[in-house]
């Protein structure tokens, strides 16, 4: 039985090209659609049960694999860990479906706006234009079509990268404005924070080291060099605070993880009719 | 409006113009001088990479995109440069679509500059959908099965740099270059269980969170933003090279001093106004 399954899996996972690959992709999509169709036709109370069971089994496998590495005495291997590469591949496939879901969602929103010529419809038109041009040019470039690498580069480096970098770099302007307007010493705590921030800001850049370069590199006075004070702040008070935060976050994550695993989480899809 | 009130209400457009100038000038002048001080975590990163056996693969994990190129770009470049210098093979894997292209361009640039060959000295595994926990565990068990192809769909078995990599035992170190908090995932699912050294290269704003892990030995070294990259460059013999990291470290110096000056000016105005208000009320109670 185990061997037969192994043979089937090996046959399914074999690399394929051309027509065979196309048949496999269409077949996989068909089976997926069939499975979703069956799931949708099941009464809601059973469907919820199926989702809960799949979530529980998935979580159970990952927990057991991580926490209880059971070793087979005959083979000397860990059976649960042995199948991890297959599980990893399955998860990559599921991740790709999440990408598709995101694209579908964008198409729906922008498609509706464009069809109705709603507010700012031209933004939706630009979305479709850029989406298809960069996708098609990317595929053509990978196929080695003449001239497409340059055109792809204009879209990718000229537009996408520049726009993303510009958007992110705007933060610098807001930080300057916010630091100037909001950083007032209204209390002793604010004063402490300002001193610590100033030391860290200077200690982390080369000019900070230059400011106290006149102090000796060894001995008692070396402790007053800006980079040393900054390093002490990062590795002592900061570290204590970060540890406390990390413990708090870990406990919270554990509680949330358990709630999701046992399907106790409210909100999301569990409270709605599936 | 008196001088103290004016000090507190400088037009934000003036501030924007000044910060643009303060950052742009060092980037245009491009000073080559690198930071004299090297943080311990940067030295440890250098030692860790220097000790990776030449028959083992280093994984460079890319989670960054165009937004943080200024910090993560130089980090990626300096780590690749050191690995090329040492002749240690490495594989780049990107969990970000744009970072996929950016990291490949950096690799190609260095490959040309240092006379290396794609597939033999390094490979790019392309963009992978971001579900790392299970992927990390699977990769440690069967690298070939989980990664399968490179960026150009060439099977890994046909690329000499990675064809011999089977499990975690063939991996010498992981370098995580990121603007986000992905550190714990590597520690929990890959570097911790399989005892593989981890170098963390975050943006400066994320670095403060990593110190507990450096203290516990779960991170073997760290490049603290672009300053860390500049310090690392100095360690690999580029102390006078006119690099992006060196120029950026001086741009940051200028920007930090400018921000500190603004905070001081704002507070002087605030304190003087407060004192004047007390004086106007009869010197307070």
């Amino acid at each position: 039985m185990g061997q037969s399954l192994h043979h089937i899996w090996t046959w399914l996972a074999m690399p394929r090209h051309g027509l065979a690959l196309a048949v496999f992709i269409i077949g996989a999509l068909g089976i997926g659609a069939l499975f979703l169709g069956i799931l949708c036709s099941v009464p809601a109370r059973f469907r919820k049960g199926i989702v809960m069971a799949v979530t529980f089994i998935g979580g159970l496998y990952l927990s057991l694999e991580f926490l209880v590495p059971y070793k087979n005495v005959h083979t000397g291997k860990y059976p649960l860990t042995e199948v991890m590469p297959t599980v990893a591949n399955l998860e990559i496939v599921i991740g790709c479906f999440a990408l598709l879901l995101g694209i579908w969602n964008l198409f729906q929103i922008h498609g509706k706006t464009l069809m109705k010529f709603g507010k700012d419809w031209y933004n939706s038109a630009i979305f479709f234009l850029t989406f298809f041009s960069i996708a098609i040019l990317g595929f053509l470039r990978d196929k080695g079509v003449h001239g497409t690498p340059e055109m792809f580069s204009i879209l990718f480096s000229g537009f996408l990268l520049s726009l993303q970098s510009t958007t992110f770099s705007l933060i610098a302007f807001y930080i300057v404005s916010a630091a100037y307007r909001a950083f007032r010493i209204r209390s002793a705590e604010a004063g402490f924070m300002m001193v610590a921030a100033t030391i860290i800001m200077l200690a982390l850049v080369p000019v900070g080291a230059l400011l106290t370069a006149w102090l000796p590199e060894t001995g008692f006075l070396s402790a007053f060099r800006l980079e040393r004070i900054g390093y002490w702040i990062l590795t002592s008070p900061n570290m204590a605070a970060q540890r406390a935060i990390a413990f708090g976050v870990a406990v919270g994550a554990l509680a949330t993880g358990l709630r999701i695993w046992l399907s106790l989480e409210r909100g999301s899809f569990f409270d709605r009719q599936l | 409006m008196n001088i103290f009130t004016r000090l507190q209400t400088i037009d934000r457009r003036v501030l924007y113009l000044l910060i643009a100038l303060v950052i742009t000038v060092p980037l245009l002048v491009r000073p080559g001088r690198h930071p004299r001080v090297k943080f311990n975590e940067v030295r440890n990163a250098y030692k860790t990479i220097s000790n990776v056996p030449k028959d083992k693969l280093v994984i460079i994990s890319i989670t960054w995109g165009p937004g943080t190129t200024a910090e993560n770009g130089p980090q990626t470049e300096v780590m690749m440069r050191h690995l090329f210098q040492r002749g240690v093979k490495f594989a780049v894997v990107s969990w970000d679509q744009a970072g996929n292209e950016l990291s490949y361009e950096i690799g190609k640039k260095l490959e040309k500059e240092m006379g290396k060959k794609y597939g033999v000295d390094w490979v790019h595994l392309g963009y992978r959908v971001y579900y790392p926990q299970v992927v990390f565990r699977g990769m440690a068990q069967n690298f070939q099965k989980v990664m399968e192809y490179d960026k150009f769909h060439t099977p890994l078995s046909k690329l000499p740099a990675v064809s011999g990599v089977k499990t975690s035992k063939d991996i010498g170190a992981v370098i995580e270059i990121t603007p986000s908090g992905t550190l714990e995932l590597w520690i929990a699912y890959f570097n911790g269980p399989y005892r593989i050294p981890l170098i963390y290269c975050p943006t400066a704003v994320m670095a403060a969170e990593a110190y507990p892990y450096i203290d516990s030995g779960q991170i073997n070294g760290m490049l603290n933003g672009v300053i860390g990259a500049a310090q690392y460059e100095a360690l690999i013999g580029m102390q006078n090279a006119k690099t992006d990291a060196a120029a950026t470290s001086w741009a940051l110096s200028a920007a930090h001093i400018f921000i500190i000056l603004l905070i001081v000016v704002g507070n002087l105005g605030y304190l003087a106004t407060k004192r004047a208000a007390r004086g106007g009320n009869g010197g307070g109670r």
Side-chain angles (χ1 to χ4, degrees), chain A residues 6-185:
Chain A
H6 181 72
H7 286 311
I8 293 169
W9 182 255
T10 312
W11 181 77
L12 283 172
M14 256 167 57
R16 286 177 173 81
H17 305 280
L19 185 67
L21 180 67
V23 168
F24 254 72
I25 291 172
I26 293 164
L29 285 174
I31 292 169
L34 184 72
F35 179 75
L36 278 176
I38 293 169
L39 196 65
C40 288
S41 61
V42 171
R45 62 178 191 282
F46 294 121
R47 207 180 308 149
K48 190 173 169 181
I50 293 168
V51 174
M52 284 168 73
V54 171
T55 309
F56 182 77
I57 292 167
L60 185 69
Y61 166 74
L62 290 171
S63 311
L64 289 179
E65 192 278 331
F66 190 80
L67 298 169
V68 193
Y70 159 70
K71 193 172 183 177
N72 187 318
V73 286
H74 301 295
T75 59
K77 291 178 177 175
Y78 299 95
L80 288 176
T81 309
E82 285 283 297
V83 293
M84 189 49 103
T86 308
V87 177
N89 280 334
L90 285 174
E91 196 151 320
I92 289 170
V93 172
I94 293 167
C96 293
F97 274 98
L99 263 182
L100 277 178
L101 197 67
I103 294 168
W104 176 244
N105 191 22
L106 280 169
F107 269 49
Q108 272 195 322
I109 291 167
H110 289 287
K112 274 180 196 165
T113 312
L114 201 59
M115 297 287 269
K116 290 178 189 167
F117 277 97
K119 191 172 176 281
D120 300 335
W121 61 271
Y122 43 86
N123 288 330
S124 301
I126 291 170
F127 162 74
F128 283 109
L129 183 72
T130 50
F131 180 90
F132 284 112
S133 38
I134 204 159
I136 292 167
L137 277 172
F139 287 130
L140 293 176
R141 183 196 64 158
D142 287 352
K143 289 280 172 201
V145 177
H146 179 70
T148 48
E150 292 77 13
M151 288 163 76
F152 181 82
S153 178
I154 291 171
L155 282 182
F156 189 78
S157 307
F159 284 88
L160 185 70
L161 298 192
S162 307
L163 285 169
Q164 282 195 20
S165 304
T166 307
T167 310
F168 201 78
S169 63
L170 288 176
I171 292 172
F173 296 96
Y174 290 115
I175 284 177
V176 167
S177 183
Y180 166 66
R181 283 171 211 292
F183 223 151
R184 296 281 184 268
I185 308 175

Side-chain angles (χ1 to χ4, degrees), chain A residues 212-225 227-228:
Chain A
T212 49
W214 51 276
L215 284 168
E217 288 197 21
T218 51
F220 174 72
L221 283 177
S222 69
F224 295 98
R225 290 172 73 103
E227 69 269 20
R228 299 272 171 92

Side-chain angles (χ1 to χ4, degrees), chain B residues 171-193:
Chain B
I171 295 167
V174 172
I175 301 168
E176 166 73 343
I177 305 173
T178 176
S180 54
T182 46
L183 172 69
E184 286 90 349
L185 298 173
W186 280 108
I187 292 173
Y189 297 101
F190 197 79
N191 299 79

Side-chain angles (χ1 to χ4, degrees), chain A residues 65 81 86 91 141 161 164-165 168 173 180-181 183-186 201 204 206 217 225 231 238 243, chain B residues 7-10 16 36 41 66-67 101 131 134 137 141 145 208 211 215 227 253 256 267 270:
Chain A
E65 192 278 331
T81 309
T86 308
E91 196 151 320
R141 183 196 64 158
L161 298 192
Q164 282 195 20
S165 304
F168 201 78
F173 296 96
Y180 166 66
R181 283 171 211 292
F183 223 151
R184 296 281 184 268
I185 308 175
R186 292 193 170 91
M201 282 171 79
L204 289 183
E217 288 197 21
R225 290 172 73 103
Y231 196 71
N238 166 66
R243 276 203 178 116
Chain B
L7 281 177
Q8 288 186 78
T9 53
I10 301 172
Y16 292 167
R36 194 180 52 79
E41 51 268 26
E101 291 295 324
Y131 277 88
V134 180
R137 297 286 282 175
Q141 290 302 311
K145 187 173 178 182
Y211 282 94
D215 189 51
I227 302 293
S253 291
H256 282 197
N267 275 287
Y270 170 70

